[in-house]
Amino acid sequence: QVQLVESGGGLVQAGGSLRLSCAASGRTDSIYRMGWFRQVPGKEREFVASINWNGRTTLYADSVKGRFTISRDNAKNTLYLQMNSLKPEDTALYYCAARPEYRADYDYWGQGTQVTVSS
């Protein structure tokens, strides 16, 4: 089992920046791909970014490419999402997730941290 706790959300003006963190605990010795997802009320949860276990491979949604950067510090068991040039449409509840590399679906999810971008 892996437990995930997000932090770093808040209210920011358009054009501003935020850095989200996700602290992992439990069986963090396993090799996991980790990712960020976001959800707006009434809409499906959408993929934002993911990173493989050693940080060498990253994927981004087209909507955040060039503005968001995902990274991880395995020594600290922490995942990050640096969000720059934020737009009102980035407003959402942001979730951290983890899965073994060989699985297609994410097994573990955090509770989410709210990001609100004002215009």
Side-chain angles (χ1 to χ4, degrees):
Q1 292 287 335
V2 175
Q3 293 78 43
L4 303 172
V5 179
E6 303 94 336
S7 62
L11 174 64
V12 64
Q13 289 188 334
S17 298
L18 279 176
R19 188 194 197 200
L20 304 183
S21 298
C22 173
S25 60
R27 291 199 58 182
T28 57
D29 57 316
S30 299
I31 297 176
Y32 289 99
R33 172 171 285 271
M34 299 188 74
W36 289 98
F37 293 74
R38 64 188 183 187
Q39 189 169 24
V40 175
K43 293 189 177 181
E44 290 189 357
R45 186 160 50 193
E46 66 171 357
F47 169 80
V48 175
S50 70
I51 188 168
N52 77 323
W53 70 276
N54 62 9
R56 293 180 182 175
T57 304
T58 57
L59 295 171
Y60 294 94
D62 288 343
S63 59
V64 306
K65 276 182 184 176
R67 300 188 299 121
F68 291 11
T69 302
I70 189 171
S71 62
R72 65 191 296 169
D73 184 337
N74 288 339
K76 297 181 179 180
N77 294 323
T78 303
L79 175 72
Y80 303 100
L81 185 67
Q82 178 66 44
M83 305 187 294
N84 299 328
S85 302
L86 283 161
K87 305 175 181 180
E89 50 264 42
D90 294 318
T91 295
L93 187 61
Y94 282 72
Y95 295 92
C96 167
R99 62 171 173 84
E101 288 283 2
Y102 61 85
R103 283 183 55 80
D105 296 327
Y106 283 82
D107 294 318
Y108 305 105
W109 294 85
Q111 294 299 307
T113 184
Q114 179 68 38
V115 171
T116 303
V117 184
S118 63
S119 57

